[in-house]
Amino acid sequence: MIERFPTFFISAPFGNYISHKHAISVTGTWTYKPRGNRLFAIAKSLRYNRELGGWTNKLGLPNPGLEVGLEKTYPDQVLSIAEIERGDFLKMKKIIPNNQSLEFNLSCPNLGKTLPWDDLKHLVNSSREWCIAKVSPHTTPEHLEYLIDIVGFRTVHFSNTLPIKQGGLSGPALIPYTIELIRTVRENWKNDDIEIIAGGGVRNHQSVYDYLQAGANHISIGSLCFNPIKLYKLLNT
């Protein structure tokens, strides 16, 4: 059994379709402009890789756009957003309510590019119950220093899918990266006001316990959603 009960998040894109009274659904990831049909892209590229022990995809954030995302996201859910072109976050700021909880997807491996993070500060504010930076497994201490000390994030999500030749890999392969990122934060930011959401390879209560023992506060659930029985067993006990 879990000794201290964390907040569970159902990560995007699963949060678009799954809700549970003991978890917060994260919808998206939404971009300022539409980027195609999500279900078609999932059917085309999502595969289970037995050799790697996880799911791979080359989705690249397909979605019908931010305005649709705002209509589909309830007040108690978290809206996941990503910037495709520089300046998109500034455009998003004009239409996203100041109290809408947000997760910033800063690390999709299938976009094929990275963008500066200099516009993040315009959307990060204390009016949002949740304001989360979701980062790559390859995030450096310097990246974290910028996000925490300069931009002002107090919640970080470790971590997004692992970039590989087949696209992005989710599942147990993320565990050592997530554990190392948790360690980095706990060693370099001693204060308790930095909250960590840990994800990757969460399959049962032991997975949750291991992340909490490593220093995480909350848990993100992703590919476990492919197994509804195990998902609801975890969330209901």
Side-chain angles (χ1 to χ4, degrees), residues 25-40:
S25 292
V26 182
T27 75
T29 293
W30 311 100
T31 55
Y32 183 67
K33 295 180 180 179
R35 286 178 59 81
N37 185 284
R38 181 182 290 117
L39 293 177
F40 174 78

Side-chain angles (χ1 to χ4, degrees), residues 1-9 22-24 130 195-198 202 205 207-209 211-212 216-221 234-235 237:
M1 295 297 292
I2 299 170
E3 294 182 1
R4 57 185 174 92
F5 203 75
T7 298
F8 286 96
F9 293 84
H22 293 153
I24 297 173
W130 296 100
E195 296 194 29
I196 295 174
I197 302 170
V202 175
H205 290 95
S207 306
V208 174
Y209 178 79
Y211 276 144
L212 296 181
N217 304 96
H218 312 298
I219 300 296
S220 177
I221 300 171
L234 176 64
L235 293 177
T237 56

Side-chain angles (χ1 to χ4, degrees), residues 22-76:
H22 293 153
I24 297 173
S25 292
V26 182
T27 75
T29 293
W30 311 100
T31 55
Y32 183 67
K33 295 180 180 179
R35 286 178 59 81
N37 185 284
R38 181 182 290 117
L39 293 177
F40 174 78
I42 289 173
K44 184 178 179 180
S45 76
L46 185 65
R47 300 289 185 272
Y48 184 76
N49 189 309
R50 293 186 179 276
E51 181 179 350
L52 298 175
W55 292 85
T56 63
N57 77 80
K58 294 186 178 182
L59 299 180
L61 304 181
N63 71 98
L66 178 61
E67 291 188 358
V68 174
L70 286 168
E71 293 175 359
K72 291 181 175 292
T73 302
Y74 294 106
D76 60 345

Side-chain angles (χ1 to χ4, degrees), residues 72-88:
K72 291 181 175 292
T73 302
Y74 294 106
D76 60 345
Q77 296 178 325
V78 175
L79 185 86
S80 174
I81 60 175
E83 188 176 54
I84 302 300
E85 302 294 340
R86 191 169 186 179
D88 281 354

